[in-house]
Amino acid sequence: MAVRASLTRFPVDRDAHESCGLPWGLTVTPFSPADELGVPPATGGEAHLLPRCENCWAYFNTYCELDQWTWTCALCGALNGLSSQAIDRYSQANSCPEMVSSFIDLELPVEGSEAEAMEARPVYVAAVDLSSSEEFLELIKSALLAALEALSPGSLFGLMTFSHKIGLYDVQGAIPVVKNVFIPPDSDGRLPVDLEDAMPLLSFLAPVETCKDRIAAALETVKPTASWERTTAAGQGLDGVLLGGRGFGVAMEALFTYLSSEYGNTFALARVFAFLSGPPDYGAGQLDTRRYGEQYASKGEDADRALLPEQTPFYKDLAAIAVQAGVCVDIFAVTNEYTDLASLKFLSIESGGSLFLYANTEDSTLPQDIWIMDVTYKYVGYTQLEAKSEGGNALNIRFEVNTPPCRYRMLSRPYAFGCVLRLRTSSEFRPGHSYGHFFPDPQYENVQHIICCDTFATYAYEFEFAGTVGFSRHTEPPVIQIAFQYTVVVPQEETSNARSKHLVQRRLRIRTLQLTTALNINEIYDGVDSEVVLSILVHKVILASLEQGVKEGRILLHDWLVILTAQYNEIVHYDNRNKISDIDVSFSQCPQLQPLPRLVFALLRNPLLRFHEEGVHPDYRIYLQCLLSGLEPASLQRAIYPLLTSYASPDKQAFPRHSLSRAALITSGSPIFFLDSFTNLIVYYSSTADPSIPFPPPQDCLLRTTINMLKQERSITPKLMFIRGGQDDATLFENYLIEEQDVDGAGFNNVMGFVSFLEEVTRDVAQYLKQEA
């Protein structure tokens, strides 16, 4: 459990918090295998024996005072008695995890008998869109064929297709059999036949270890639905325009009901991989994509406000059904047409899944997002070639791929499910806003439910004071306790049976932190974590964009920086605050604040906050919202302000960090530059680079080792590109040199881009100070 605070030294009271101008909160990555310093938790069992405060229900921890028969809660100060069992437990303190570490992970006993409560089989279902192209299906097949190799023995796999009908595949016989259930065109969503009646669920869910070849054979039979068939099903003439045929909403609702019959018996969590090639346009849950177009220009409507909220609650309600059925949904949308992800996103993020968007099949990283390819490359020239992997999908890279050994990303990544996250604080302050892909408990405050949580999933909280007093020198230091209760599936070999048995473990992870307060504003500034500040800002501007539009999100961010700069200057340069030439907009007296102007500038340049008329596709903006709102702080900063490093040679780094400008490239004199934007990795060779330097970098060099490490540790697959200046199209690389681009989004290169931005902030700060005087 990694926890990072925006202010490592807390403001002493409400006035100190308001005067510092900074968000006060933290980010938490609850299922991270270690804390933010890389230290793993102390582990053990008997979590149910851990004492809890009778007043605030906090758990006993190392910051509590312990006597022979009592203990004092570190959060609320209440005195609690110890049971005889606890007294015996703490007579040998070093044997108890909660006595030796403030970060513990304990196993909880599972209710019921061992055989009933502890056994489970991982379930995976692929739901494939047949209202698609051959290229789309080839991409999906290659991903699923490789994914089958990743599934552990004992896993169950189901293959379902959807269009104007739902197809269920039984692969447990000698020949794969598909049973079809037609979807009615009306919007009530009722199928003429229940899926369970069409095919028993345990016939649909096939054991991977015995049916892998037959699953592969079934995949090869999957073909796109003919356009005439879909047109006829939608009730249109053969010469009419095809408007229907993708009954995604009905298919998902039927699938969740289908799976729910075995929830808690056959499986504890089912993961559905939903592959979409366009918007749902048939039956219940169909989406009206006509709201995206030029009509906004004629009607004078704000497209950025209209396209960000969902147009129907159908998929949000459907997510609740998935949660009740124990189903986690990952959506893979491979399309460049408007699909209304603003409506569909709830199905994935509220069920604990992920949302992926790929503009086309040619350079899609979909197979690698499910499974990792460790590849070796052979350079074949400067022009872009379409190389083929073993799975057959086009990678659209400039090198041939040789014998890729496979490892797996999504399917083997550790994940927890059925999670409950609770944050408690000492009495002087309390949690305010909370952000992340969870849903709040309807009964208890500050309790969030997370259906599925991997090691990267991160959540954010803001704090506020509970009263007007704040912290005083006579009170105990601020204390935060985060409790994370979760379930994991642990494979266990069974000697008497050929297949593996998977055991379910319920665990309780607790992190307790004791922090310090700042004596003055300078101590607050000295304890700023700019990455966490950025994380909270991103959550706030996303929320503002959804509620009030992108323009309001931009205004909120710009005004925040102006007010922060003004308050900083009032404190540090109070004698000269009315002179515009003396306003310190770069925070020269505080290194911890210095990254913030660049981060705000970059966030304003990000498609997250660019306007619709600038060419930002609304689905791509929604995808970014879902991606960025779940990243831990370091990765989020990389996505907002990419890291640009330079190399004197493939084996020797020149400078670890450059500003994102052409001037940095020219003045460094380095021949090789490496840019990491989290989603893209770009190796750029300067046009003046010595021709003797090998291009691309050889596999065994330092630069390639760095690239491979980044690809392995990332939650998604970044696209890797190699560009040779003067010979290849360098537009993608140059687009990241944002400090030479105008922040208003005009799109014209301007060497004064970032400088102009600082000058604008300076003028606004002077105006703000004049009004406040």
Side-chain angles (χ1 to χ4, degrees), residues 201-527:
L201 180 60
L202 294 182
S203 297
F204 172 70
L205 297 176
V208 171
E209 68 271 18
T210 59
C211 299
K212 188 180 299 182
D213 292 341
R214 278 168 280 179
I215 295 172
L219 283 170
E220 291 302 321
T221 67
V222 174
K223 301 294 180 184
T225 303
S227 60
W228 65 266
E229 186 180 359
R230 286 183 280 144
T231 303
T232 304
Q236 303 164 50
L238 295 179
D239 57 347
V241 178
L242 177 61
L243 296 176
R246 188 176 291 110
F248 177 69
V250 177
M252 289 297 101
E253 185 170 13
L255 177 61
F256 302 156
T257 303
Y258 192 30
L259 292 171
S260 65
S261 63
E262 289 295 322
Y263 175 43
N265 183 15
T266 299
F267 66 90
L269 177 75
R271 296 200 71 160
V272 171
F273 294 156
F275 301 99
L276 268 174
S277 67
D281 56 6
Y282 183 77
Q286 59 184 290
L287 299 173
D288 181 7
T289 57
R290 293 175 297 176
R291 68 173 186 165
Y292 175 58
E294 296 180 356
Q295 69 271 24
Y296 291 103
S298 60
K299 294 183 179 179
E301 298 180 22
D302 183 353
D304 293 306
R305 291 194 66 177
L307 294 172
L308 288 175
E310 68 276 15
Q311 63 171 285
T312 172
F314 179 87
Y315 290 97
K316 196 167 188 178
D317 296 339
L318 191 55
I321 297 175
V323 169
Q324 294 175 355
V327 176
C328 168
V329 184
D330 296 291
I331 296 179
F332 300 85
V334 187
T335 176
N336 60 0
E337 64 176 308
Y338 178 56
T339 306
D340 194 10
L341 295 185
S343 298
L344 294 174
K345 68 178 182 181
F346 297 101
L347 188 56
S348 61
I349 63 176
E350 294 204 356
S351 70
S354 300
L355 176 66
F356 297 86
L357 176 64
Y358 311 93
N360 53 62
T361 57
E362 283 76 17
D363 60 355
S364 169
T365 58
L366 186 153
Q368 296 94 315
D369 282 329
I370 297 180
W371 57 287
I372 300 175
M373 256 190 347
D374 289 332
V375 298
T376 57
Y377 299 93
K378 182 178 75 175
Y379 179 60
V380 295
Y382 300 140
T383 57
Q384 197 168 53
L385 301 177
E386 276 195 352
K388 299 286 184 175
S389 75
E390 286 185 339
N393 61 297
L395 298 178
N396 201 27
I397 57 179
R398 302 180 182 188
F399 311 98
E400 292 179 349
V401 183
N402 298 327
T403 58
C406 296
R407 292 183 300 108
Y408 305 93
R409 187 180 299 275
M410 179 178 289
L411 293 180
S412 65
R413 182 187 303 163
Y415 62 86
F417 57 93
C419 313
V420 180
L421 184 65
R422 174 68 187 261
L423 186 144
R424 294 181 173 89
T425 64
S426 46
S427 56
E428 297 87 355
F429 69 114
R430 63 193 176 199
H433 291 290
S434 56
Y435 308 97
H437 299 172
F438 51 55
F439 59 93
D441 188 278
Q443 183 176 0
Y444 299 102
E445 283 188 320
N446 306 318
V447 177
Q448 284 80 32
H449 295 269
I450 305 167
I451 301 308
C452 188
C453 177
D454 64 23
T455 55
F456 297 97
T458 300
Y459 311 91
Y461 295 88
E462 284 191 278
F463 296 132
E464 61 187 21
F465 283 97
T468 58
V469 177
F471 305 108
S472 72
R473 297 181 180 179
H474 307 291
T475 60
E476 295 295 328
V479 177
I480 297 170
Q481 186 175 88
I482 303 166
F484 181 62
Q485 192 173 134
Y486 64 97
T487 300
V488 289
V489 174
V490 181
Q492 177 173 315
E493 293 295 333
E494 187 179 29
T495 57
S496 61
N497 196 324
R499 73 173 179 87
S500 296
K501 179 190 293 184
H502 293 79
L503 303 182
V504 174
Q505 284 187 3
R506 190 70 176 167
R507 302 192 69 87
L508 175 63
R509 181 174 292 191
I510 300 172
R511 179 82 187 276
T512 309
L513 302 95
Q514 189 178 74
L515 299 107
T516 59
T517 55
L519 298 177
N520 52 57
I521 198 72
N522 289 324
E523 286 194 355
I524 293 179
Y525 287 153
D526 289 339

